[in-house]
């Protein structure tokens, strides 16, 4: 619910958010003075006057006087124990949300999420690779790679609608010798990679000298939370890439006195 008192319902088919304003109801008197209990039900399959809440669907969307809304069917009954009956002549009414009725495309929300991530989380938008040895790798010895891992990040957004976001990363590595790896890796910390090769989950061994390269693909899965909706995972994963080159040299035997 935003600061104007307007909530939103997300429709995955149209990939848009629609204002969820109260449909009213309560009691209404007809022309004969009979006071009816009334309930408004959006004309989507599965909605029922005996069930609380309304699901939305593209088929029920309508527009009237430039305002967006949904077709509703009006039900009435005289007493709480009576079954709901359709109100003749009110089987399909375009119920609009007033000046706040314009739908919000998911793409607009996605753009806000990306802008926030790239402004406040540099390690996400521009991942960097740490390679060890940093200058000269050696044939048949491990080359280690790692990147900063912010972990799952979370933040709130206000525009174009209020909500919260969680972004969770995964990392895929590709070495120029044809090997690969997963995860953020671990930078060199003094542990001997020959004695404990599993200590560095992202590493490669080159059998020949020459230029080498390691490529990183960081993929961020985004979940959007908007009040009144289940978690929304329709935002396309955000993918960022980086690469680092290095030189692999042959070890030479040096004779000393």
């Amino acid at each position: 619910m935003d600061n104007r008192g307007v909530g939103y319902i997300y429709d995955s088919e149209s990939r848009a958010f629609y204002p969820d304003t109260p449909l009213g109801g309560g009691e209404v008197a007809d022309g004969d003075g009979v006071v009816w209990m009334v309930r408004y039900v959006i004309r989507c399959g599965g909605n029922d006057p005996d069930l609380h809440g309304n699901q939305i669907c593209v088929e029920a969307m309508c527009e009237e006087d430039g305002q967006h809304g949904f077709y509703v069917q009006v039900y009435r009954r005289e007493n709480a124990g009576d079954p709901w009956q359709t109100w003749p002549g009110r089987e399909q009414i375009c119920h609009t949300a007033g000046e706040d009725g314009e739908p919000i495309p998911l793409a607009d929300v996605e753009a806000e999420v990306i802008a926030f991530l790239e402004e406040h989380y540099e390690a996400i938008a521009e991942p960097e690779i740490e390679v060890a040895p940093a200058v000269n790798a050696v044939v048949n010895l491990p080359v280690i790679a790692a990147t900063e891992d912010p972990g799952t990040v979370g933040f709130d957004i206000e525009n174009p609608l209020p909500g919260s976001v969680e972004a969770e990363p995964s990392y895929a590595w590709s070495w120029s010798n044809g090997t690969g790896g997963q995860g953020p890796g671990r930078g060199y910390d003094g542990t001997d990679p020959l004695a404990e090769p599993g200590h560095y989950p992202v590493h490669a061994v080159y059998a020949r000298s020459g230029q080498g390269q390691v490529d990183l693909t960081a993929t961020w899965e985004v979940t959007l939370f908007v009040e009144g909706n289940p978690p929304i995972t329709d935002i396309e994963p955000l993918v960022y890439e980086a690469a680092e080159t290095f030189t692999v040299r042959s070890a030479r035997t040096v004779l000393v006195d």
Side-chain angles (χ1 to χ4, degrees):
M1 188 85 51
D2 69 15
N3 56 11
R4 293 168 296 179
V6 179
Y8 294 90
I9 299 176
Y10 177 68
D11 176 65
S12 60
E13 185 175 347
S14 60
R15 295 176 61 84
F17 293 89
Y18 297 88
D20 179 26
T21 53
L23 290 176
E27 296 184 345
V28 176
D30 64 14
D32 297 324
V34 178
V35 178
W36 298 91
M37 300 175 62
V38 299
R39 179 163 290 176
Y40 298 86
V41 178
I42 296 178
R43 294 180 60 87
C44 295
N47 288 336
D48 187 281
D50 292 316
L51 300 177
H52 291 286
N54 279 284
Q55 299 298 316
I56 65 171
C57 57
V58 174
E59 293 77 11
M61 292 172 53
C62 63
E63 184 175 347
E64 189 173 274
D65 297 329
Q67 298 178 358
H68 294 267
F70 297 94
Y71 285 117
V72 300
Q73 187 165 20
V74 185
Y75 290 83
R76 68 179 182 180
R77 63 185 180 187
E78 287 192 68
N79 303 292
D82 297 337
W84 289 105
Q85 299 178 341
T86 57
W87 193 320
R90 304 186 185 186
E91 291 85 357
Q92 181 164 295
I93 297 175
C94 185
H95 180 86
T96 62
E99 62 181 9
D100 298 311
E102 191 71 24
I104 299 174
L106 178 63
D108 291 355
V109 183
E110 182 178 22
E112 177 69 13
V113 170
I114 294 172
F116 191 99
L117 280 172
E118 294 184 349
E119 179 179 355
H120 296 281
Y121 295 94
E122 183 177 354
I124 292 177
E126 299 180 9
E128 295 185 354
I129 298 173
E130 175 188 348
V131 173
V135 179
N136 294 321
V138 178
V139 168
N140 294 327
L141 295 180
V143 185
I144 299 164
T147 190
E148 179 183 347
D149 179 25
T152 299
V153 300
F155 54 91
D156 295 330
I157 59 172
E158 295 296 332
N159 293 306
L161 53 74
S164 61
V165 174
E166 283 188 2
E168 183 175 1
S170 62
Y171 303 93
W173 300 84
S174 177
W175 297 87
S176 56
N177 68 351
T179 60
Q182 301 291 326
R186 175 182 285 142
Y188 182 71
D189 58 10
T191 302
D192 185 350
L194 290 176
E196 298 185 48
H199 184 75
Y200 302 103
V202 180
H203 67 270
V205 176
Y206 283 76
R208 295 184 179 87
S209 60
Q211 287 297 113
Q213 179 169 312
V214 60
D215 297 294
L216 168 64
T217 301
T219 302
W220 290 82
E221 300 286 346
V222 178
T223 302
L224 175 65
F225 300 90
V226 175
E227 185 178 354
N229 295 269
I232 298 164
T233 58
D234 286 352
I235 292 178
E236 291 293 323
L238 309 181
V239 179
Y240 299 96
E241 297 179 335
E244 191 70 31
T245 58
F246 49 89
T247 301
V248 181
R249 301 186 185 278
S250 299
R252 293 182 297 175
T253 300
V254 179
L255 298 178
V256 295
D257 293 332

